[in-house]
Amino acid sequence: MNKKTTCRDELLYTIKQIINNKGVNEFTVKEVVDYMKSHGSTYKESTIRTHITSRCCINVPNNHETVYDDYERIDKGIYRIINM
């Protein structure tokens, strides 16, 4: 991603790339962190993890002022994107 984006924007792009490559709608936090770092993301690992596991996950307690329903946890450490 060349233009300035939010962490959420980068996550959505990254996760779509990962699931398209895998052919299945599921991903792990590690897959996302590794992909983003290898593609030049400037976001800290902790920020990426927080977005996936809390801010953007529909089936976890709401602990943030702004949240999104982008992903859901389907198993321990495994998520899927909602509404691709």
Side-chain angles (χ1 to χ4, degrees):
M1 303 194 83
N2 294 332
K3 62 181 178 142
K4 179 65 178 156
T5 58
T6 65
C7 185
R8 181 177 177 231
D9 292 336
E10 282 192 31
L11 281 168
L12 289 169
Y13 175 83
T14 297
I15 290 166
K16 287 177 183 177
Q17 296 303 308
I18 291 169
I19 62 177
N20 284 337
N21 289 336
K22 290 171 72 171
V24 62
N25 185 6
E26 65 180 42
F27 61 92
T28 67
V29 174
K30 181 177 180 352
E31 287 175 317
V32 175
V33 169
D34 290 349
Y35 185 99
M36 288 177 71
K37 291 303 175 186
S38 71
H39 286 81
S41 178
T42 58
Y43 291 101
K44 293 181 181 178
E45 182 174 337
S46 60
T47 301
I48 296 166
R49 288 180 175 279
T50 298
H51 272 71
I52 295 170
T53 62
S54 186
R55 285 195 91 150
C56 300
C57 190
I58 194 170
N59 55 345
V60 296
N62 180 355
N63 295 319
H64 302 279
E65 185 175 325
T66 303
V67 294
Y68 306 96
D69 295 340
D70 296 328
Y71 325 115
E72 70 179 332
R73 184 177 152 191
I74 57 174
D75 204 349
K76 184 176 181 177
I78 302 174
Y79 298 83
R80 74 175 163 200
I81 196 167
I82 300 171
N83 300 322
M84 277 186 57

